[in-house]
Amino acid sequence: QVQLVESGGGSVQAGGSLRLSCAASGFAYSSHCMAWFRQVPGKGRERVAEINNYGVARYADSAKGRFTISKDNAWNLYLQMSSLKPEDTAMYYCAANSRGSSCAAFNYWGQGTQVTVSS
């Protein structure tokens, strides 16, 4: 059973930085994809960035140049966010596909960590 626990959210002023962490455990296979999503009330969930076990990372246009996704050998996932904008305010979720390297769908989700950016 995969477990994902996010941390690192908080309140920051525009232009500031935050680093989100996702402590992951329970992966049975080495092939996987992990991602960060975000959601604001009343809107759909937006994929922010993803990375698979080969280290191939992709970003939403809104995140390119400002956010960096990474993971370590202990299955933990990170999102370094810089030059934050008020529109980055959202609940951020860690997601994992434990069944393979595809990032098309995810079978595990964390509980989320709130990021609030003030102007």
Side-chain angles (χ1 to χ4, degrees):
Q1 181 79 8
V2 173
Q3 290 188 325
L4 305 173
V5 180
E6 301 97 333
S7 63
S11 296
V12 64
Q13 289 192 329
S17 300
L18 280 175
R19 187 186 193 222
L20 304 184
S21 299
C22 175
S25 61
F27 282 95
Y29 306 103
S30 60
S31 296
H32 61 275
C33 178
M34 299 183 75
W36 288 99
F37 286 76
R38 66 186 182 188
Q39 188 171 25
V40 297
K43 292 190 177 182
R45 195 166 287 187
E46 176 192 13
R47 185 180 314 209
V48 176
E50 64 189 38
I51 186 168
N52 65 17
N53 56 287
Y54 298 109
V56 177
R58 294 178 178 171
Y59 298 89
D61 287 344
S62 59
K64 287 179 181 176
R66 300 188 301 126
F67 294 1
T68 302
I69 190 171
S70 63
K71 62 184 183 69
D72 62 24
N73 292 333
W75 308 101
N76 299 315
L77 183 71
Y78 306 96
L79 185 68
Q80 178 67 47
M81 304 187 294
S82 303
S83 302
L84 283 163
K85 305 174 182 179
E87 50 264 45
D88 294 318
T89 296
M91 184 71 77
Y92 283 71
Y93 297 91
C94 174
N97 172 21
S98 63
R99 299 165 296 194
S101 301
S102 171
C103 298
F106 299 88
N107 56 335
Y108 290 100
W109 295 84
Q111 293 299 306
T113 185
Q114 177 68 37
V115 171
T116 302
V117 184
S118 59
S119 58

